[in-house]
Amino acid sequence: MTRLYMDTWAASYGASFEGADGPTAPSTAEVETHHEVEPESWHPIVAPDGVRAPDVVLLVDGVQRVDGTLSTEEDDGASFPGLAASFAAGVVRCDLAQGAAELAGARVARALFTASPSVEDVIAGQVRYAVHKVEGSGELRKLQASVQAPLTALEVEISGAARTDGDLLVVDGPLRGRRHLPRTIGYIKTQQSQYLPPGLTPVVTSLTTGQRSPIFKQGTAWGCWSWYLRLPGGNGAPWSGMVRVECAPDLPVEYAVELANLSLVTLPRFASTPYKDPRAPQNLIPIAGLERRLRGLLGDARLLHRALTLATARLA
């Protein structure tokens, strides 16, 4: 009999995995699955006795918002689109020994993304949108992707200022430009691609709370050590509550395994619940609170849009 499951995520957020039976898009990454356990011996792994969560866990995230779209008129008659965006990064410091969490730092930045060779900073009321030149023709549909690089740089800066010896830094999303940071893992809550060969997927879907898969290595330009673990609070579906975690690819395999075990005893304690979060359990409680705080720091979108409208009218 066919079994049906409702995803624990609210429908307005899409799904925590793609496809009826989990991620179906094949990844182009070269994957090595033999480093911790030989493929024929893959099995769910529990943390060894004695592995304890660190006293301090830092969780970093960023948010972005488009405040307005613009266009230029150059002296030679050419025109370039522009995108005025606000973005913010912050870090939550969770002191597990004291059972306390606090915002350890947050910063807001604003920029005008465009390929225009002549446009200058836009002053919209009390807010400055600094020009961020993009390469190429700067098509509007590609400009929003340009926000990611300065946002990542802001996340690195804000999290670096909050670090202490022995902590663990959890980045919400892939590591990307943060692979050089020590004791850092990337936390991917939406599963879009199928990285493992079909024969190993049943090991992942058989995971229960408190178990992880063996680590495997991805060999793309964004290569990493990676593993899956299941959070508490899923609905029993094969991919419900599943997250993928990653760390830097240049780490020794022994240290990658150490981080995998550390994540297994750390991340589940932050899992959210459906009555509190529409993306439970994957949207970790500190991350959800941080996102709300950062969106508030971006300011009122309507006021900023009006200020941009008035500012560009003066320049027309």
Side-chain angles (χ1 to χ4, degrees), residues 284-300:
L284 302 180
I285 293 173
I287 292 294
L290 177 59
E291 288 176 341
R292 289 192 296 269
R293 182 68 177 273
L294 292 177
R295 290 193 181 99
L297 293 176
L298 293 182
D300 189 295

Side-chain angles (χ1 to χ4, degrees), residues 272-287:
S272 52
T273 53
Y275 75 92
K276 288 185 177 181
D277 193 308
R279 287 179 288 173
Q282 289 97 323
N283 200 36
L284 302 180
I285 293 173
I287 292 294

